[in-house]
């Protein structure tokens, strides 16, 4: 999966270990926890935090509806990679997961954040010189007061499992 390739650096050639080292990474969950599947990014962070809260080279942040408000901790952390996790209208079936490139971010989102993700991504990249990635999850419902749909809940679990496999 592209996630593993993006969050790890190649193992040194002289190393006896085949395992690659994870890059210094920020995973930023984005969305509104009150609007059904829009909470997917936040839920990824909360589930990861239960297991990986004190993992070296990993900072887990909830960006909510204003992810630009957590740029100060991101800048202090000085990551090599910032991974944004958000629900995104991708015209696919609910619960679909996609790795989206910077070029794909412009105008793409089902979320209710205040600043387009493309602006945030360009700012972080210019400010920190880090790589930026976005994992998008196709929502089923953004209805106020609803929980995550079953499809999006499964997608969140899949993303969490993939990330855990890199850090355990």
């Amino acid at each position: 999966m592209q996630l593993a390739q993006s969050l790890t650096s190649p193992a040194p050639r002289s190393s006896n270990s085949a395992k690659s080292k994870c890059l210094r990474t920020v995973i930023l969950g984005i969305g509104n926890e009150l609007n059904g599947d829009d909470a997917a990014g936040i839920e990824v962070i909360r589930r990861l935090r239960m297991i990986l809260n004190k993992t070296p080279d990993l900072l887990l942040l909830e960006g909510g509806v204003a992810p630009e408000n957590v740029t100060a901790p991101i800048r202090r952390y000085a990551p090599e990679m910032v991974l944004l996790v958000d629900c995104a209208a991708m015209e696919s079936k609910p619960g679909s997961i996609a790795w989206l490139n910077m070029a794909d971010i412009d105008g793409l989102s089902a979320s209710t954040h205040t600043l387009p993700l493309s602006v945030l991504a360009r700012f972080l990249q210019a400010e920190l010189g880090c790589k930026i990635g976005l994992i998008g999850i196709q929502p089923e419902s953004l209805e106020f007061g609803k929980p995550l749909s079953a499809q999006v809940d499964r997608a969140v679990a899949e993303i969490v499992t993939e990330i855990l496999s890199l850090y355990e």
Side-chain angles (χ1 to χ4, degrees):
M1 180 180 200
Q2 190 157 354
L3 176 61
Q5 293 169 345
S6 296
L7 295 183
T8 59
S9 58
R13 291 177 194 231
S14 61
S15 172
N16 292 334
S17 170
K19 187 161 173 125
S20 299
K21 179 188 181 302
C22 287
L23 297 174
R24 188 170 174 83
T25 301
V26 170
I27 302 177
L28 178 59
I30 301 168
N32 186 338
E33 63 187 316
L34 299 177
N35 288 352
D37 292 338
D38 196 32
I42 301 296
E43 187 62 24
V44 166
I45 297 303
R46 289 178 179 168
R47 292 181 192 183
L48 287 171
R49 196 175 279 143
M50 290 189 304
I51 301 165
L52 297 176
N53 197 30
K54 302 210 187 252
T55 301
D57 295 324
L58 181 63
L59 178 62
L60 302 168
L61 293 173
E62 292 182 31
V65 296
E68 63 274 13
N69 288 344
V70 296
T71 56
I74 294 171
R75 290 169 62 201
R76 281 192 299 273
Y77 190 72
E80 298 168 279
M81 173 73 180
V82 174
L83 177 62
L84 309 171
V85 183
D86 194 8
C87 77
M90 303 178 293
E91 299 181 15
S92 56
K93 66 180 198 175
S96 296
I97 302 168
W99 178 265
L100 304 168
N101 295 313
M102 279 284 292
D104 301 325
I105 295 175
D106 276 327
L108 178 69
S109 185
S111 226
T112 53
H113 23 82
T114 57
L115 186 70
L117 289 183
S118 58
V119 173
L120 175 64
R122 281 194 292 274
F123 169 78
L124 291 171
Q125 198 168 40
E127 192 73 18
L128 302 170
C130 62
K131 297 192 307 183
I132 305 288
L134 171 63
I135 294 177
I137 304 168
Q138 177 67 46
E140 178 182 36
S141 170
L142 301 175
E143 192 175 336
F144 179 78
K146 295 288 184 183
L148 288 180
S149 65
Q151 298 93 326
V152 170
D153 189 63
R154 281 192 295 277
V156 166
E158 184 178 330
I159 292 166
V160 168
T161 298
E162 181 73 21
I163 292 170
L164 288 175
S165 73
L166 298 172
Y167 287 94
E168 292 185 319

